[in-house]
Protein backbone atom coordinates (compact mmCIF):
# COMPACT_ATOMS: atom_id res chain seq x y z
CA UNK A 1 0.00 0.00 0.00
CA UNK A 2 1.02 3.57 -0.60
CA UNK A 3 -0.45 6.97 0.21
CA UNK A 4 -1.49 9.17 -2.71
CA UNK A 5 -2.52 12.81 -2.57
CA UNK A 6 -5.02 13.43 -5.33
CA UNK A 7 -6.84 16.53 -6.51
CA UNK A 8 -10.29 15.48 -7.64
CA UNK A 9 -12.97 17.96 -8.68
CA UNK A 10 -10.92 20.74 -7.09
CA UNK A 11 -10.65 19.04 -3.68
CA UNK A 12 -7.66 17.32 -2.09
CA UNK A 13 -8.02 13.66 -1.18
CA UNK A 14 -5.59 11.25 0.42
CA UNK A 15 -5.91 7.52 -0.21
CA UNK A 16 -3.87 4.56 0.94
CA UNK A 17 -4.08 1.97 -1.84
CA UNK A 18 -1.99 -0.44 -3.85
CA UNK A 19 -0.10 1.50 -6.58
CA UNK A 20 -1.64 -0.67 -9.31
CA UNK A 21 -5.22 0.12 -8.27
CA UNK A 22 -7.05 1.69 -11.23
CA UNK A 23 -8.20 5.21 -10.47
CA UNK A 24 -11.77 4.06 -11.26
CA UNK A 25 -11.77 1.93 -8.12
CA UNK A 26 -10.15 4.66 -6.05
CA UNK A 27 -12.96 7.00 -7.11
CA UNK A 28 -15.80 4.53 -6.60
CA UNK A 29 -14.65 2.38 -3.68
CA UNK A 30 -12.51 4.75 -1.63
CA UNK A 31 -14.04 8.17 -2.32
CA UNK A 32 -17.68 7.24 -3.08
CA UNK A 33 -17.62 9.13 -6.40
CA UNK A 34 -19.79 6.64 -8.25
CA UNK A 35 -20.76 8.67 -11.32
CA UNK A 36 -17.84 7.20 -13.22
CA UNK A 37 -18.98 3.75 -14.36
CA UNK A 38 -17.28 0.42 -14.85
CA UNK A 39 -17.95 -0.93 -18.31
CA UNK A 40 -15.44 -3.32 -19.84
CA UNK A 41 -12.36 -3.01 -17.64
CA UNK A 42 -10.12 -2.79 -20.74
CA UNK A 43 -10.44 0.91 -21.68
CA UNK A 44 -12.47 0.02 -24.77
CA UNK A 45 -16.04 1.16 -24.01
CA UNK A 46 -15.57 4.65 -22.54
CA UNK A 47 -18.00 4.31 -19.61
CA UNK A 48 -15.17 5.09 -17.18
CA UNK A 49 -14.00 8.32 -18.86
CA UNK A 50 -12.65 11.06 -16.62
CA UNK A 51 -10.55 14.15 -17.31
CA UNK A 52 -6.90 14.16 -16.34
CA UNK A 53 -5.71 17.76 -16.62
CA UNK A 54 -8.55 18.31 -19.09
CA UNK A 55 -7.80 15.30 -21.28
CA UNK A 56 -10.34 12.50 -21.57
CA UNK A 57 -8.86 9.31 -20.11
CA UNK A 58 -10.18 5.83 -19.38
CA UNK A 59 -9.97 5.36 -15.63
CA UNK A 60 -10.41 1.57 -15.54
CA UNK A 61 -6.89 0.95 -16.81
CA UNK A 62 -5.10 3.96 -15.31
CA UNK A 63 -3.17 3.01 -12.16
CA UNK A 64 -3.32 5.51 -9.33
CA UNK A 65 0.51 5.54 -9.26
CA UNK A 66 0.51 7.23 -12.70
CA UNK A 67 -1.63 10.20 -11.64
CA UNK A 68 1.09 12.24 -9.96
CA UNK A 69 0.09 15.90 -9.60
CA UNK A 70 -2.43 15.84 -12.44
CA UNK A 71 -5.91 17.09 -11.62
CA UNK A 72 -8.82 14.68 -12.00
CA UNK A 73 -12.31 15.75 -12.97
CA UNK A 74 -15.20 13.31 -12.78
CA UNK A 75 -18.80 13.78 -13.90
CA UNK A 76 -19.57 15.03 -10.38
CA UNK A 77 -17.06 17.85 -10.89
CA UNK A 78 -17.93 18.81 -14.46
CA UNK A 79 -20.41 21.38 -13.17
CA UNK A 80 -21.76 21.97 -9.71
CA UNK A 81 -25.40 22.19 -10.80
CA UNK A 82 -25.36 19.92 -13.85
CA UNK A 83 -25.52 22.93 -16.14
CA UNK A 84 -22.41 22.40 -18.23
CA UNK A 85 -23.29 23.15 -21.89
CA UNK A 86 -22.84 19.47 -22.79
CA UNK A 87 -25.14 18.35 -19.98
CA UNK A 88 -27.78 20.88 -21.01
CA UNK A 89 -27.54 19.79 -24.67
CA UNK A 90 -27.83 16.14 -23.60
CA UNK A 91 -31.17 16.93 -21.98
CA UNK A 92 -32.32 19.09 -24.88
CA UNK A 93 -31.70 16.22 -27.33
CA UNK A 94 -33.01 13.55 -24.96
CA UNK A 95 -29.78 11.61 -25.48
CA UNK A 96 -29.89 9.01 -22.69
CA UNK A 97 -31.85 5.85 -23.18
CA UNK A 98 -30.65 3.37 -20.56
CA UNK A 99 -28.11 5.99 -19.45
CA UNK A 100 -25.28 3.71 -18.38
CA UNK A 101 -22.68 5.04 -20.82
CA UNK A 102 -23.74 8.66 -20.59
CA UNK A 103 -21.24 9.91 -18.03
CA UNK A 104 -18.39 8.64 -20.20
CA UNK A 105 -20.00 10.09 -23.32
CA UNK A 106 -20.48 13.48 -21.63
CA UNK A 107 -16.93 13.56 -20.29
CA UNK A 108 -15.49 12.74 -23.73
CA UNK A 109 -17.67 15.39 -25.39
CA UNK A 110 -16.76 18.03 -22.78
CA UNK A 111 -13.04 17.38 -23.26
CA UNK A 112 -13.47 17.64 -27.03
CA UNK A 113 -15.25 20.99 -26.81
CA UNK A 114 -12.77 22.39 -24.29
CA UNK A 115 -9.92 21.73 -26.72
CA UNK A 116 -11.85 22.29 -29.94
CA UNK A 117 -14.89 24.55 -29.46
CA UNK A 118 -16.10 24.20 -33.07
CA UNK A 119 -15.38 20.60 -34.13
CA UNK A 120 -16.26 19.22 -37.54
CA UNK A 121 -18.31 16.04 -37.90
CA UNK A 122 -15.09 14.11 -38.49
CA UNK A 123 -13.48 15.58 -35.36
CA UNK A 124 -16.55 14.67 -33.30
CA UNK A 125 -16.45 11.13 -34.67
CA UNK A 126 -12.74 10.82 -33.86
CA UNK A 127 -13.09 12.20 -30.33
CA UNK A 128 -16.09 10.00 -29.52
CA UNK A 129 -14.63 6.86 -31.10
CA UNK A 130 -14.41 4.19 -28.45
CA UNK A 131 -17.36 5.46 -26.45
CA UNK A 132 -19.88 2.68 -26.90
CA UNK A 133 -23.62 3.20 -26.49
CA UNK A 134 -25.39 -0.13 -26.51
CA UNK A 135 -28.70 1.66 -27.02
CA UNK A 136 -27.40 3.28 -30.21
CA UNK A 137 -28.06 6.95 -29.43
CA UNK A 138 -25.13 8.09 -31.57
CA UNK A 139 -27.20 10.45 -33.75
CA UNK A 140 -28.55 12.25 -30.68
CA UNK A 141 -25.07 12.33 -29.13
CA UNK A 142 -23.62 14.06 -32.19
CA UNK A 143 -26.55 16.51 -32.33
CA UNK A 144 -26.07 17.35 -28.66
CA UNK A 145 -22.35 17.96 -29.17
CA UNK A 146 -23.13 20.34 -32.04
CA UNK A 147 -25.69 22.16 -29.89
CA UNK A 148 -23.21 22.47 -27.01
CA UNK A 149 -20.59 23.79 -29.42
CA UNK A 150 -22.99 26.57 -30.48
CA UNK A 151 -23.76 27.62 -26.89
Amino acid sequence: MAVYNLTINGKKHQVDVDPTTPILWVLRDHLNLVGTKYGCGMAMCGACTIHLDGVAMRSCSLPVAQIGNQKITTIEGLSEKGDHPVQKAWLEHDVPQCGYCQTGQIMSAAALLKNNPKPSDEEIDAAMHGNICRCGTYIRIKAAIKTAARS
Side-chain angles (χ1 to χ4, degrees), residues 29-106:
D29 295 346
H30 297 273
L31 300 174
N32 200 33
L33 293 169
V34 296
T36 305
K37 304 297 184 202
Y38 173 79
C40 67
M42 299 180 295
M44 297 178 71
C45 74
C48 68
T49 303
I50 60 169
H51 294 173
L52 200 56
D53 280 347
V55 177
M57 300 290 291
R58 307 299 195 239
S59 64
C60 72
S61 63
L62 181 63
V64 66
Q66 289 185 8
I67 300 298
N69 293 325
Q70 298 176 91
K71 292 174 177 55
I72 297 169
T73 304
T74 67
I75 191 73
E76 292 93 344
L78 189 59
S79 73
E80 192 172 304
K81 298 179 182 178
D83 59 356
H84 185 280
V86 172
Q87 291 170 309
K88 290 167 66 173
W90 241 245
L91 293 173
E92 180 182 333
H93 288 274
D94 198 23
V95 173
Q97 195 163 323
C98 85
Y100 196 83
C101 70
Q102 296 307 306
T103 58
Q105 300 276 2
I106 288 169

Side-chain angles (χ1 to χ4, degrees), residues 11-22:
K11 296 178 184 169
K12 302 282 184 191
H13 297 272
Q14 191 174 73
V15 294
D16 186 5
V17 296
D18 183 284
T20 63
T21 304

Side-chain angles (χ1 to χ4, degrees), residues 97-143:
Q97 195 163 323
C98 85
Y100 196 83
C101 70
Q102 296 307 306
T103 58
Q105 300 276 2
I106 288 169
M107 294 302 285
S108 291
L112 164 66
L113 294 178
K114 181 178 180 183
N115 295 313
N116 182 355
K118 301 292 181 198
S120 67
D121 283 352
E122 294 78 20
E123 290 167 327
I124 292 171
D125 291 342
M128 300 305 290
H129 179 75
N131 281 85
I132 297 170
C133 175
R134 289 183 173 93
C135 299
T137 64
Y138 299 110
I139 293 170
R140 293 188 303 219
I141 288 168
K142 186 180 264 186

